Amino acid sequence: MSTALRLSELMNYLEKNQPVSTKQLLEFYRAFEPDLKGNTLRWRIYHLKQANVIYTPKRGLYALQEKKAFLPEQTEKMKKLALQIQEKYPYVNFSVYPTEWLANFTGHMYQSNNIILEVDIDALESVFHFVKERYTNVYLSPDREVYNLYISPREENIIVNRLYVDAPLNRIQGNYHLPKLEKLLVDLIVNEPIILPIGLSEVKTVITNILGKYNINYSTLLRYAKKRHTEKKLASFGLKESEML
C-alpha cells in the first residue's frame, strides 16, 4: 500500500496545488496507473487520512496535514463516567470531555476543571439524575447566573447538557463519543449553557491558538454552526472559509 500511495510524489504535488479535489487526486494517480478505479482511490484517501498525511479542509477537498491531529487525552474520571453510562444506558448516545481541553488555550491557569457530559435530549433528565446519585457537584444545563452562583471553581463539576443530533463526534466505543474540534469551537462561541466561564476576548484567544496548532474542516464547522444558529458569527472569530483552504 505504501508504494501505491506514492507519498513523495503526492506530497510534492499537494505542496504546489493544494487544496485539491477528488477528481484532481484521481488524475494524479492515473498519471501512474491509467486504469485506477474510483473505489481504489477512496481506499487510498482513507489510508492517507488515517496516516495523517492529508486532511479535508472542506468537504471534497484535500490538503497536506501540516499540523498536529487533535488527539486529546482522556482523563480517568471521564472514562469511569462513560463506562457507568454505557452500562446503564447502552442505547443512549453521549459525549464526554474535560474543559481543560479548551482552557489550555486561554493563556491563563484556571482552578476549575469541569467535565461536560452531553446526552440525547430524550434521556437528558434521566441521565442527569443517574449521575447526580453517584457524583457531587452535578449541574443540568446551567446558564450564566446559575454558573456564577452555584458552581465552585475549586471543584471538579460535571455539567450535563443536551447532545445535538448530528453533532461532529468521534466514536470511541459503542455509544461513547468524544467531540471533534469543530464542535468544541462552535459550542464555545455559543457557550450557553455555560461550558467555560470566559469572556469574548478569551474565546477569541482560544480559537486563534487552536487554529495555529490544528487544522479545521470548514464544512463540518459550518454545518454544526448552522444547527446551533451561530454561523453568522464565525467570521468575527477568524473562522473564515478562505483562511482554511
Side-chain angles (χ1 to χ4, degrees):
M1 175 58 72
S2 59
T3 302
L5 292 177
R6 296 189 173 272
L7 291 180
S8 178
E9 295 95 330
L10 177 64
M11 294 174 72
N12 183 58
Y13 171 71
L14 289 176
E15 286 175 355
K16 298 176 181 178
N17 300 284
Q18 64 184 345
V20 298
S21 65
T22 304
K23 181 180 178 181
Q24 287 174 296
L25 274 183
L26 184 60
E27 291 173 350
F28 166 79
Y29 279 114
R30 280 183 173 171
F32 304 98
E33 304 168 68
D35 297 325
L36 185 76
K37 304 298 183 184
N39 285 339
T40 303
L41 176 66
R42 282 191 285 273
W43 273 108
R44 290 187 186 179
I45 290 173
Y46 171 79
H47 286 293
L48 288 166
K49 291 173 72 174
Q50 290 296 108
N52 287 321
V53 175
I54 63 174
Y55 81 106
T56 52
K58 188 179 179 182
R59 186 174 183 178
L61 295 179
Y62 306 94
L64 285 174
Q65 179 70 277
E66 298 172 316
K67 300 176 183 178
K68 293 182 180 180
F70 182 66
L71 300 170
E73 186 176 351
Q74 301 176 57
T75 67
E76 290 303 316
K77 185 170 181 178
M78 65 182 278
K79 288 191 287 187
K80 178 182 177 181
L81 177 61
L83 180 60
Q84 291 171 323
I85 295 173
Q86 282 187 302
E87 291 177 348
K88 178 66 175 179
Y89 301 94
Y91 303 109
V92 174
N93 284 321
F94 68 95
S95 168
V96 185
Y97 70 94
T99 53
E100 67 179 291
W101 287 2
L102 291 168
N104 288 340
F105 292 97
T106 62
H108 300 285
M109 293 294 293
Y110 281 90
Q111 288 180 309
S112 62
N113 175 29
N114 299 327
I115 291 178
I116 308 299
L117 168 63
E118 297 177 312
V119 300
D120 288 341
I121 191 167
D122 291 342
L124 183 60
E125 291 196 13
S126 178
V127 172
F128 166 69
H129 291 297
F130 172 78
V131 174
K132 194 170 180 62
E133 290 174 358
R134 288 156 180 77
Y135 295 88
T136 58
N137 307 306
V138 181
Y139 302 89
L140 179 62
S141 304
D143 58 20
R144 190 166 293 275
E145 181 179 3
V146 170
Y147 199 106
N148 291 337
L149 287 175
Y150 301 108
I151 299 182
S152 171
R154 293 183 294 275
E155 304 290 344
E156 186 175 44
N157 309 284
I158 297 176
I159 296 174
V160 185
N161 287 336
R162 166 190 178 181
L163 177 64
Y164 284 81
V165 177
D166 296 329
L169 303 172
N170 287 316
R171 185 186 301 275
I172 301 303
Q173 183 183 37
N175 56 339
Y176 173 30
H177 302 78
L178 299 181
K180 290 185 177 181
L181 191 53
E182 292 83 359
K183 179 184 184 305
L184 292 177
L185 293 180
V186 172
D187 287 345
L188 184 60
I189 290 173
V190 177
N191 210 18
E192 183 66 42
I194 300 297
I195 56 176
L196 197 64
I198 61 176
L200 184 62
S201 62
E202 285 185 286
V203 170
K204 291 182 177 180
T205 297
V206 169
I207 292 174
T208 298
N209 290 338
I210 287 176
L211 293 180
K213 190 171 183 179
Y214 300 106
N215 289 312
I216 301 296
N217 183 311
Y218 186 80
S219 295
T220 300
L221 181 82
L222 181 60
R223 187 163 55 250
Y224 184 59
K226 287 180 178 178
K227 184 172 289 291
R228 299 298 314 270
H229 306 292
T230 194
E231 68 272 18
K232 293 181 180 179
K233 295 182 180 180
L234 295 180
S236 64
F237 287 90
L239 297 167
K240 300 178 182 178
E241 179 178 5
S242 60
E243 295 179 4
M244 297 185 187
L245 302 182

